[in-house]
Amino acid sequence: MDNIIKIENLIFEYKREEDNEIVKAVNDISIDIERGSFVAIIGKNGSGKSTLAKNLNALLLPSGGAVYVNGNNTSDETKTWDIRQSAGMVFQNPDNQLVSSIVEDDVAFGPENLGIEPTEIRQRVDMSLNAVNMYEQRKKAPHLLSGGQKQRIAIAGVVAMKPQCIILDEPTAMLDPHGRNEVMEIIHKLNSEGITILLITHFMDEAAQADRVIIMENGKSILDGTPLEVFRHVEEIKKIGLDVPMAVELAYRLRKRGVIIPDDIISEEDLIEYVFNRSKEFNSYI
Ligand SMILES: Nc1ncnc2c1ncn2[C@@H]1O[C@H](COP(=O)(O)OP(=O)(O)OP(=O)(O)O)[C@@H](O)[C@H]1O
Ligand SMILES: [Mg+2]
């Protein structure tokens, strides 16, 4: 298996400013991320998701264990640029990520910093804006765009660096449902073009769209598998204070009421199809 990221017994400790206490935000995580895959990371507030993400592109360096991106150890300072270029990051608030007053200048910012030739920058900017369906808006001022559009510009800025992997830390948290859908569509599109995706999210329905879901709790990975494998653990997931995708929840409740319902339902479409196909049978329950 070709792994773009290898995380070996990663530990990350913060020193809390108030009392100098050590906080173990990531506590012995070992995970490999397969090249080209789409991985969702979920977990309650404070479970260590963002800390893990920042360790994946050398924004933070391990207190223990090691992280390798494309075989490069993140603790090797001579590789920091390579690592940041291979594994781009998108954060929650698009306003904090946009730096220029014109969309296309913003997207050019990353490649300019890489010292790339102006003609190639032009090509990369156009390619990236097309990739996020924002080419038409290239001359606009970012502050005039919707939240979803701004977040797509932030993603274009990362795409322009030609990363092999994009780590998105709650990119849809500040968006309305329409903006969230727009961003999820782009994430799927980039993944289908071969970019590895790591998506941190609080939305279970977004996590259900990944190839693999990892649930974090207290700095550890406690569940790891396909969405179907992971979301089968409904009670365990609820016990740690998380939800499951809406269709999984509904199927779980129906099952509890004695309805025979298959355990491979993960999306609303799956549930609708099943209920529709079995509607005659369901009538006898009502
Ligand atoms: N700069 C910091 N200094 C000290 N402790 C920190 C710092 N940043 C995070 N922590 C602590 O580390 C732990 C993990 O935080 P982290 O931000 O990684 O969690 P998270 O899963 O991303 O949470 P959220 O869902 O709220 O974004 C928490 O206990 C948090 O309080
Ligand atoms: Mg976070």
Side-chain angles (χ1 to χ4, degrees), residues 9-193:
N9 303 104
L10 175 65
I11 292 177
F12 188 87
E13 295 172 336
Y14 292 104
K15 197 175 199 181
R16 209 160 45 200
E17 274 182 17
E18 309 91 87
D19 52 6
N20 282 345
E21 275 292 302
I22 300 289
V23 179
K24 213 173 238 184
V26 174
N27 188 3
D28 197 5
I29 286 192
S30 297
I31 296 170
D32 291 336
I33 305 289
E34 192 180 351
R35 194 179 295 277
S37 61
F38 177 178
V39 180
I41 301 180
I42 57 181
K44 270 194 323 194
N45 294 119
S47 56
K49 305 179 297 295
S50 296
T51 307
L52 175 67
K54 287 179 193 155
N55 271 277
L56 304 185
N57 80 340
L59 283 176
L60 295 175
L61 297 178
S63 315
V67 176
Y68 299 89
V69 178
N70 268 329
N72 294 321
N73 190 326
T74 58
S75 294
D76 177 352
E77 279 175 23
T78 65
K79 301 291 185 200
T80 305
W81 265 109
D82 282 350
I83 288 168
R84 298 231 173 108
Q85 191 266 315
S86 308
M89 270 199 88
V90 176
F91 297 95
Q92 188 178 102
N93 188 344
D95 290 326
N96 295 345
Q97 300 172 80
L98 304 181
V99 288
S100 306
S101 55
I102 301 173
V103 162
E104 62 181 1
D105 291 352
D106 213 286
V107 178
F109 187 77
E112 273 167 3
N113 277 338
L114 289 178
I116 286 163
E117 294 281 299
T119 46
E120 170 149 11
I121 292 181
R122 183 72 258 163
Q123 286 168 5
R124 285 195 186 197
V125 168
D126 292 351
M127 175 273 291
S128 310
L129 285 168
N130 277 314
V132 301
N133 301 335
M134 285 295 287
Y135 184 73
E136 301 297 315
Q137 325 280 340
R138 66 192 181 282
K139 301 283 183 200
K140 285 206 172 146
H143 72 270
L144 297 176
L145 302 175
S146 71
Q149 289 177 320
K150 281 191 225 173
Q151 197 57 299
R152 279 149 60 197
I153 298 302
I155 295 173
V158 172
V159 171
M161 312 273 279
K162 296 211 171 161
Q164 295 161 39
C165 173
I166 303 183
I167 302 154
L168 303 105
D169 191 352
E170 298 192 47
T172 63
M174 303 185 71
L175 308 182
D176 61 18
H178 180 70
R180 287 216 296 273
N181 285 338
E182 286 176 356
V183 167
M184 285 306 293
E185 241 173 64
I186 298 305
I187 288 174
H188 280 290
K189 183 170 156 199
L190 294 173
N191 182 236
S192 73
E193 287 163 4

